[in-house]
Amino acid sequence: MNEEGLTYEKAYEELQQIISDIESGEISVDLLSEKVKRAAALIQICKNKLTSTENDVQQILNDLKSDQ
Amino acid sequence: MESPQHFTLKQVAESIRKTIAERYSRTYWVTAEMHKLNQTRKGHCYPELVQKEDESIVVEMRGTIWKQHFERIQQKFFEIVKEPLHDGMELLFHVKITYHPLYNIGLEIIDIDPNYTLGALQRERQETLERLNREGILNANQDLEMALVPKRLAIISQADSKGYSDFVTLLNGHPKRYHFSTFLFEATLQGDAAITSIQNQLKRIEKIKHHFDAVVIIRGGGGEIGMHCYNNYELSKAIATFPLPVLTGIGHSTNLTVCEMIAFRNGITPSDMAYFLLRIFEELDEPLDEILVKLPQQIQHFMQGATNQFAQLARAFQQEVQAAIQFEKNDFLNTVKDFEFRVKHKMSYSNQLLSELRNQIRSSSSYRLETQKRKLDNNIDLLQIHGKSFINTGRQSVLNQENQLIRSLPRTFESEELKLEKAEVRLKLLDPITVLQRGYAIVTNEKGVLSAKNKSKVGEELKIVTDAQTLTAEVKAASSDKN
């Protein structure tokens, strides 16, 4: 789900934009469902960033070894 | 030969002991580095006291701290310095110079001044701070930017320390199951050994820094001892200039050490540091949860707004349409009324006009008929009168003419006869026959009579008609001369 290699910051920024667009009514009804889908995906991305495992311990060990 | 005076070793030792006891009857305050404490199982200590110059020992003496003294000294020292007495400390000793036949010259330590050590430690701390400040790296680590989601942590700690296990347990035990990737770099965390131990691990981490967002130095459960290493210049500098944010949680209750002051962030305890990191995640997560709550509301609100707007528009449109229809209706009715009115008006006007005309026609036609009739009658009268006179006049003129004709006829005949005779004579003169008879001939060629327009050429055949005969001749010569 880490599509586009979005950083947390970028994802959150985009999410904020969508929310404020919906708040201010700047989104047309046609776009609403698309935007909401996108917002849900962005929330998922952000949540994943907070909870997912990314670090490959084996990689750290290999890098440590190759430096010694 | 008299043998020289000789003493037993014991006598010599006794003499030295006496001399020293007399010479050094009082006690002295002496500064020295305690190289090794050498505590025995019985509780006595035999510290090696040294003085160094340029890192090499130039003086070494044996010290003695009896058990009863040591306990008191140790306790007081710890209370004030917050450090136990340990190897390598520069101390101010209250000593008595002693001589022991077996152990030689030594210093019996009665007391150690903790304030001297505390001062030295505080001086070191102050000097470290000043030096870092001079070098402009005091805030270097704090000026770094922490990753937005600092989840990859290089932990410098001890696997079996309570601080480390508390820290990791807290990080992984959050109800929202935030995930931190932690990797432990084991190091000594107190005493002088910590300085190089921690630095070495920092160097290892720096080589693979792309794997981490921050370094966390965790120490806990080790009491208040051996903290002075965190005032060391080299270690402080290593932390200050580290390319990743360094977080410290080296729980103790004494004054902040330099390392804690210059670290990116200091937690009082490892738990405090764990809460700090979790708080970052929570602060990122809270808005997301808020959005999750807010989003459906917003959408509902938005849809409600759109629906209301639409309903309003529909109502407005309906009203507009109704108003427009009403207006058109009224307009039409008015037009119809107006038209009716005008038609009626026009009709009545026309009727009036018609009746007027009728009347006019009636009155005028009878009048005109009357006049016309009168005119006709007049004309008839006139015609009758004129006709009669005209006929009379005509009759008269015809009669006149007749008479005149009758009178002029014979004269007319005579003059006409004369004219005819004259014409006959002239005709006779013009007749070609008459002309031929007088000797003239008519010369013709194929084209007709010869004349200025029809000239004859040499060799041409000519026809010559005379009164008596017709000749055919050939032209021999021709000229245009008339004579």
Side-chain angles (χ1 to χ4, degrees):
Chain A
M1 185 99 195
N2 250 351
E3 38 126 317
E4 305 160 51
L6 264 184
T7 63
Y8 185 95
E9 208 163 355
K10 283 265 179 294
Y12 188 69
E13 239 170 63
E14 195 184 334
L15 181 59
Q16 280 289 323
Q17 191 54 54
I18 291 172
I19 300 293
S20 73
D21 284 354
I22 294 176
E23 264 177 344
S24 61
E26 273 174 30
I27 285 179
S28 66
V29 179
D30 306 311
L31 277 179
L32 185 67
S33 73
E34 198 182 307
K35 287 282 181 188
V36 171
K37 257 186 227 155
R38 179 66 183 156
L42 288 167
I43 290 171
Q44 197 52 54
I45 288 166
C46 289
K47 289 258 177 200
N48 282 352
K49 291 264 177 198
L50 299 178
T51 56
S52 71
T53 314
E54 281 175 1
N55 234 10
D56 186 358
V57 173
Q58 195 52 52
Q59 190 55 50
I60 296 176
L61 289 171
N62 293 345
D63 286 0
L64 270 175
K65 273 194 205 112
S66 67
D67 267 319
Q68 277 162 0
Chain B
M1 184 165 169
E2 212 179 315
S3 60
Q5 190 189 1
H6 64 261
F7 304 98
T8 62
L9 194 57
K10 196 176 171 185
Q11 284 171 322
V12 175
E14 183 54 26
S15 167
I16 291 171
R17 190 194 63 76
K18 263 176 73 182
T19 309
I20 285 177
E22 280 166 21
R23 173 67 185 79
Y24 302 106
S25 56
R26 65 183 190 88
T27 56
Y28 302 91
W29 284 100
V30 177
T31 58
E33 184 183 315
M34 184 171 73
H35 190 55
K36 277 213 171 72
L37 183 59
N38 297 328
Q39 191 173 8
T40 61
R41 270 172 305 161
K42 283 181 179 171
H44 307 302
C45 301
Y46 301 102
E48 293 166 22
L49 306 181
V50 300
Q51 183 164 348
K52 288 178 182 168
E53 280 175 9
D54 301 327
E55 293 302 306
S56 54
I57 294 167
V58 290
V59 184
E60 185 172 343
M61 277 193 191
R62 185 179 47 82
T64 309
I65 311 174
W66 302 119
K67 189 184 169 201
Q68 68 271 23
H69 288 316
F70 184 69
E71 281 167 3
R72 173 181 50 84
I73 290 167
Q74 173 86 312
Q75 197 186 345
K76 187 170 69 152
F77 191 89
F78 194 86
E79 273 169 20
I80 289 168
V81 183
K82 306 290 183 219
E83 296 257 346
L85 283 165
H86 60 77
D87 301 347
M89 272 186 163
E90 182 77 21
L91 298 167
L92 179 59
F93 300 98
H94 195 195
V95 300
K96 197 173 187 306
I97 299 168
T98 59
Y99 175 80
H100 191 280
L102 278 177
Y103 304 116
N104 221 325
I105 292 269
L107 302 172
E108 188 186 320
I109 297 162
I110 305 155
D111 201 359
I112 294 172
D113 183 359
N115 290 310
Y116 173 84
T117 307
L118 186 67
L121 287 179
Q122 278 170 346
R123 257 199 315 283
E124 185 192 11
R125 179 171 174 274
Q126 200 50 41
E127 278 163 13
T128 300
L129 281 171
E130 278 167 9
R131 192 168 166 193
L132 292 174
N133 193 34
R134 262 203 316 280
E135 290 169 6
I137 52 176
L138 197 62
N139 302 318
N141 200 257
Q142 284 160 7
D143 289 344
L144 292 175
E145 193 130 340
M146 170 78 99
L148 189 66
V149 187
K151 59 188 300 185
R152 304 171 306 156
L153 309 173
I155 303 176
I156 297 177
S157 191
Q158 277 167 318
D160 55 2
S161 76
K162 190 174 177 300
Y164 174 67
S165 62
D166 283 355
F167 181 74
V168 173
T169 306
L170 273 173
L171 282 190
N172 296 329
H174 193 276
K176 301 267 312 243
R177 306 197 60 71
Y178 297 137
H179 192 277
F180 290 86
S181 305
T182 59
F183 196 90
L184 178 65
F185 292 81
E186 287 225 52
T188 308
L189 293 161
Q190 54 210 41
D192 289 345
I195 295 167
T196 47
S197 178
I198 294 173
Q199 279 191 86
N200 287 340
Q201 290 297 37
L202 284 174
K203 279 178 196 147
R204 288 180 74 210
I205 295 165
E206 189 166 0
K207 281 176 184 163
I208 53 163
K209 62 173 192 260
H210 57 276
H211 283 295
F212 300 107
D213 301 316
V215 176
V216 193
I217 301 172
I218 292 296
R219 172 193 166 279
E224 301 286 326
I225 49 164
M227 298 300 290
H228 77 280
C229 57
Y230 293 106
N231 289 321
N232 173 271
Y233 165 77
E234 294 299 335
L235 180 57
S236 300
K237 184 184 175 181
I239 289 171
T241 58
F242 201 73
L244 292 174
V246 178
L247 314 174
T248 49
I250 52 177
H252 63 102
S253 57
T254 50
N255 280 349
L256 277 188
T257 61
V258 176
C259 286
E260 290 168 295
M261 288 165 83
I262 54 103
F264 182 87
R265 166 102 191 185
N266 177 51
I268 301 164
T269 60
S271 305
D272 188 53
M273 189 37 65
Y275 288 132
F276 163 73
L277 287 164
L278 287 169
R279 188 69 208 126
I280 292 174
F281 275 58
E282 283 167 352
E283 275 171 7
L284 291 172
D285 202 14
E286 271 162 21
L288 293 177
D289 287 340
E290 265 170 44
I291 286 166
L292 278 173
V293 174
K294 212 159 91 171
L295 197 58
Q297 288 173 349
Q298 283 298 346
I299 293 162
Q300 219 171 2
H301 178 78
F302 177 85
M303 290 306 287
Q304 192 57 54
T307 310
N308 291 349
Q309 211 178 14
F310 178 73
Q312 237 167 16
L313 270 174
R315 271 201 300 277
F317 179 71
Q318 215 173 357
Q319 282 166 356
E320 285 289 327
V321 168
Q322 269 168 350
I325 288 170
Q326 195 55 52
F327 177 81
E328 289 295 327
K329 232 183 202 168
N330 290 347
D331 197 37
F332 177 71
L333 283 173
N334 284 342
T335 309
V336 168
K337 268 186 198 147
D338 191 44
F339 180 72
E340 270 175 359
F341 175 77
R342 277 162 191 260
V343 167
K344 271 181 190 157
H345 186 263
K346 203 90 180 161
M347 289 288 288
S348 69
Y349 175 76
S350 298
N351 280 338
Q352 214 178 324
L353 212 62
L354 268 172
S355 62
E356 267 172 35
L357 277 170
R358 214 178 279 128
N359 292 340
Q360 241 176 29
I361 288 167
R362 255 190 222 123
S363 61
S364 71
S365 62
S366 59
Y367 167 79
R368 274 182 78 154
L369 277 169
E370 206 66 37
T371 43
Q372 289 292 344
K373 213 170 153 196
R374 250 204 314 273
K375 268 185 187 167
L376 269 173
D377 288 349
N378 282 351
N379 283 341
I380 291 164
D381 290 349
L382 276 172
L383 268 175
Q384 277 175 337
I385 295 161
H386 285 292
K388 273 176 187 162
S389 76
F390 188 81
I391 290 165
N392 286 341
T393 322
R395 208 178 271 155
Q396 194 56 56
S397 115
V398 168
L399 277 174
N400 288 347
Q401 296 275 341
E402 216 173 331
N403 291 333
Q404 215 176 5
L405 204 64
I406 290 163
R407 272 196 308 273
S408 67
L409 262 175
R411 226 185 317 136
T412 308
F413 280 128
E414 273 171 28
S415 71
E416 286 304 311
E417 267 170 18
L418 204 66
K419 274 180 195 170
L420 279 172
E421 274 169 20
K422 272 182 186 170
E424 223 173 344
V425 170
R426 277 171 67 195
L427 201 65
K428 246 189 182 146
L429 279 175
L430 285 171
D431 187 355
I433 304 287
T434 318
V435 174
L436 289 179
Q437 280 170 345
R438 283 181 12 224
Y440 291 95
I442 300 167
V443 186
T444 58
N445 62 4
E446 288 172 326
K447 290 175 188 161
V449 180
L450 292 186
S451 65
K453 278 181 184 163
N454 185 18
K455 288 177 176 168
S456 184
K457 294 185 192 93
V458 176
E460 196 176 38
E461 198 175 83
L462 298 177
K463 209 168 142 193
I464 303 170
V465 181
T466 64
D467 186 37
Q469 56 191 156
T470 301
L471 309 170
T472 303
E474 191 183 317
V475 180
K476 293 277 191 196
S479 75
S480 292
D481 295 342
K482 283 231 172 139
N483 40 0

